[in-house]
Amino acid sequence: ISDVKAVTTSSYITTPIYYVNDKPHVGHAYSTLAADVLARWRRLQGRRVYFLTGTDEHGQKVEKAAQDAGMDPQAFTDKVSQSFRDLTATMGFSNDGFIRTTEERHKRACQALWTKLVENDEIYLGAYEGWYAVRDEAFYGPDELVERDGVKYAPSGAPVEWVKEPSYFFRLSNWADKLLAYYDANPDFILPASRRNEVVAFVKSGLSDLSISRTSFTWGVKVPGDDAHVMYVWIDALTNYITALGYPDEAAPEWQLWPAEVHFVGKDILRFHAIYWPAFLLAAGLPAPKRVFAHGWWTNEGQKISKSLGNVIDPVALVEEFGLDPLRYFLLREVPFGQDGDFSRSALVNRLNGELANALGNLANRTLSLIQRNADAVLPEATAPTEADAALAAQVAALPGVVGAHLDRQEFHLALEAIMAAVRDANGYITVAAPWALKKTDPARGLAVLRHLHDALRVFATLLQPFMPGTMAKLLDQLGLPEAARGLDALSTKLPGGLALPPPEPLFRKIEQAA
Ligand code: ME8
């Protein structure tokens, strides 16, 4: 039965595609990290996974950035896109695909979707007159703007300019009721719930038709049959999610993975994903994604992260200083996923020293060192549990289900909290059982305690693999688990006593807390 499930259940997981106007920072790494952890979890469950990230390379904002750099836009996007590709290696991301919107396959997909929308009478030619923010690549209504010193700004803080040009429109106004029905029928389509409510309220207030082409610049996908227009960068960008699966070739093997399980996005771009995107898809007769999860924003030691403030956090420097897995752990542990968070060095050091080095690292090191010294470096046999053993074992046995339920809702922080609560209890158990004192007084009990601890560590290491793949691979090596026995279904098979275990090595390096 589990085999059938493995082939019939699949997951398509995506990140935003990032603008190539600037190099990646910790916020970009954060979105992709969340997607990476879910993708790794699904693979651990035996699902077929396609995990996609990439770069968004058209539009006025990127065109301006290329001009500022004195470069041709294609050469400029080639260069910056590569820095996002490099980030996937730095952060240990396991993406199956990397898409660039300047690829031919993507232009084809955009034009096919456009043509379909024209056939379905969802697009008409008109003229756009209104406010546009290049920084957000978004149109705003006059009532959404604020004015400071004679300059008008979007709610995001981006300056807006008055735009007047011929434009194709998408009949978004026709879709409000259908979108509301879709949200109703799929209560978890938008998570977290607070964000869902915002979107529902916005759609209920009524939707205007959406301008989806521009004539005032050329860096984009040409509108089929009308070369004077390039597509609005958001219809181009959103289409990436289906390009990557082979659209418009619905016979392509990857196409079966549509609709996506989750599009991970920052809260800044929820409107595009939860309103425009399902409307485009439904209008083209395609299924809408199953979920859009909008996560919060990181600030840096209390301040908004921005290039002009010079406080952009470079993920490469963090990995060098703290190590990759502690950083991955911290980002998903520190802040409830979905809420805003503040990046502070001292918080990272506290988590690393307290939870990783002390709680988990020491538990593993003490247990595995004692197995070397007191158990001839082999795994003791499983024995009948005492009450204390059974309590720990029951808590540990429930963990995969608890973690799985949290990850199904992208509650990364709660999944980690549950694992760490069990690690704390395992530390309580080792302190009370004191296996180091038992070699002389009750060696058989000493061995039994080590076996129970080994069983618990195996579960912790297995479940933590998606979060800290490198370090957990080391721990699983030390625990004697062969590669083939590291999936979730392997947890139901007991390891044989007598398995030879290698001497342990420390998993985490503590960091001095700055005074
Ligand atoms: O919006 N904290 O690209 P973008 C957390 N190309 N996340 C952050 C962040 C921060 N301080 N700063 C950025 C675009 N992000 C479009 C997307 S998708 C079809 C097109 C993350 O380069 C967050 O995920 O401006 C946000 O949504 C994304 O970077 C914006 O990246």
Side-chain angles (χ1 to χ4, degrees):
I1 285 165
S2 75
D3 268 28
V4 173
K5 208 170 159 208
V7 288
T8 54
T9 331
S10 62
S11 277
Y12 179 38
I13 297 166
T14 72
T15 76
I17 49 170
Y18 303 106
Y19 286 128
V20 289
N21 58 320
D22 212 347
K23 63 176 199 179
H25 68 65
V26 77
H28 308 119
Y30 182 57
S31 308
T32 314
L33 172 62
D36 183 60
V37 170
L38 185 63
R40 287 176 183 271
W41 176 258
R42 292 293 180 227
R43 292 189 198 109
L44 217 54
Q45 291 180 306
R47 283 203 197 181
R48 175 178 181 211
V49 171
Y50 195 90
F51 162 27
L52 178 73
T53 187
T55 45
D56 187 357
E57 309 192 358
H58 288 133
Q60 223 173 337
K61 172 165 158 153
V62 170
E63 190 182 61
K64 272 191 178 154
Q67 268 159 14
D68 292 348
M71 288 173 82
D72 158 71
Q74 189 63 57
F76 177 77
T77 58
D78 288 347
K79 177 168 159 245
V80 186
S81 178
Q82 187 57 42
S83 64
F84 280 89
R85 216 184 262 270
D86 294 343
L87 181 73
T88 64
T90 307
M91 292 297 297
F93 295 146
S94 62
N95 51 298
D96 301 290
F98 187 98
I99 189 164
R100 301 183 55 190
T101 55
T102 49
E103 291 173 55
E104 274 315 312
R105 62 169 172 159
H106 179 66
K107 294 178 194 167
R108 262 200 314 275
C110 289
Q111 291 177 338
L113 180 66
W114 184 286
T115 304
K116 187 83 199 160
L117 292 173
V118 170
E119 279 168 21
N120 293 357
D121 191 28
E122 299 287 351
I123 289 179
Y124 63 91
L125 183 60
Y128 181 77
E129 193 168 352
W131 297 102
Y132 193 75
V134 174
R135 207 169 86 191
D136 300 344
E137 296 280 22
F139 302 96
Y140 290 98
D143 46 333
E144 292 182 281
L145 306 177
V146 289
E147 188 164 338
R148 275 194 311 275
D149 305 326
V151 183
K152 288 195 193 311
Y153 296 90
S156 62
V160 294
E161 59 192 62
W162 186 256
V163 172
K164 190 177 173 184
E165 59 188 67
S167 174
Y168 287 93
F169 283 82
F170 171 70
R171 297 189 195 280
L172 185 62
S173 59
N174 281 350
W175 287 91
D177 289 345
K178 284 165 213 145
L179 286 171
L180 290 169
Y182 187 73
Y183 305 152
D184 242 19
N186 302 279
D188 292 335
F189 169 58
I190 301 165
L191 284 182
S194 55
R195 299 272 167 224
R196 172 181 201 274
N197 299 340
E198 285 171 19
V199 170
V200 169
F202 185 83
V203 174
K204 277 192 173 152
S205 74
L207 297 174
S208 325
D209 287 350
L210 181 68
S211 165
I212 52 165
S213 75
R214 304 289 307 273
T215 53
S216 50
F217 65 98
T218 56
W219 185 237
V221 180
K222 286 203 173 1
V223 166
D226 193 344
D227 272 7
H229 291 251
V230 295
M231 291 184 198
Y232 172 39
V233 69
W234 271 101
I235 193 169
D236 166 348
L238 290 161
T239 303
N240 94 83
Y241 299 129
I242 55 175
T243 303
L245 299 185
Y247 184 84
D249 175 9
E250 295 185 20
E254 256 76 47
W255 183 252
Q256 303 162 19
L257 286 142
W258 188 259
E261 179 189 358
V262 193
H263 292 311
F264 284 97
V265 301
K267 64 180 185 181
D268 53 319
I269 57 173
L270 177 60
R271 199 185 279 190
F272 303 98
H273 284 81
I275 302 175
Y276 300 173
W277 182 226
F280 294 153
L281 288 164
L282 296 173
L286 296 170
K290 291 185 204 149
R291 177 167 301 163
V292 177
F293 194 107
H295 66 68
W297 271 52
W298 286 93
T299 50
N300 183 1
E301 312 277 350
Q303 277 195 312
K304 184 178 153 89
I305 298 177
S306 91
K307 204 173 163 186
S308 52
L309 288 172
N311 65 350
V312 171
I313 306 173
D314 175 8
V316 178
L318 290 177
V319 170
E320 273 168 18
E321 186 174 1
F322 299 102
L324 172 57
D325 285 343
L327 175 64
R328 289 175 58 111
Y329 176 82
F330 171 77
L331 290 173
L332 293 176
R333 170 75 170 116
E334 183 68 9
V335 175
F337 196 66
Q339 291 179 25
D340 291 338
D342 186 42
F343 189 92
S344 111
R345 209 192 124 82
S346 70
L348 200 170
V349 173
N350 282 340
R351 293 281 180 197
L352 168 53
N353 290 351
E355 293 182 354
L356 297 181
N358 284 345
L360 178 61
N362 278 348
L363 180 71
N365 207 263
R366 285 205 283 183
T367 303
L368 294 170
S369 304
L370 283 167
I371 290 179
Q372 294 293 309
R373 280 206 301 279
N374 296 359
D376 299 327
V378 301
L379 179 65
E381 293 291 344
T383 51
T386 65
E387 208 173 296
D389 301 341
L392 178 66
Q395 187 184 6
V396 168
L399 261 189
V402 171
V403 168
H406 287 311
L407 294 183
D408 283 346
R409 298 180 60 81
Q410 291 74 55
E411 295 161 345
F412 299 103
H413 58 295
L414 295 181
L416 288 174
E417 212 169 284
I419 298 170
M420 282 303 143
V423 169
R424 268 198 306 278
D425 289 351
N427 272 306
Y429 171 88
I430 197 175
T431 307
V432 172
W436 43 85
L438 290 169
K439 179 162 189 180
K440 292 212 176 81
T441 56
D442 188 350
R445 177 65 192 148
L447 294 182
V449 168
L450 293 175
R451 173 65 199 227
H452 286 293
L453 286 164
H454 185 284
D455 288 346
L457 282 165
R458 174 194 181 181
V459 175
F460 302 152
T462 301
L463 300 181
L464 285 168
Q465 289 177 97
F467 296 90
M468 299 187 281
T471 313
M472 291 306 108
K474 265 209 253 172
L475 177 53
L476 288 162
D477 287 344
Q478 297 179 16
L479 291 167
L481 266 300
E483 292 277 349
R486 296 179 180 188
L488 293 181
D489 55 350
L491 286 176
S492 52
T493 314
K494 280 231 166 284
L495 280 180
L499 184 71
L501 300 185
E505 274 165 42
L507 298 170
F508 300 100
R509 181 175 48 88
K510 275 200 187 186
I511 306 266
E512 282 293 304
Q513 185 67 274

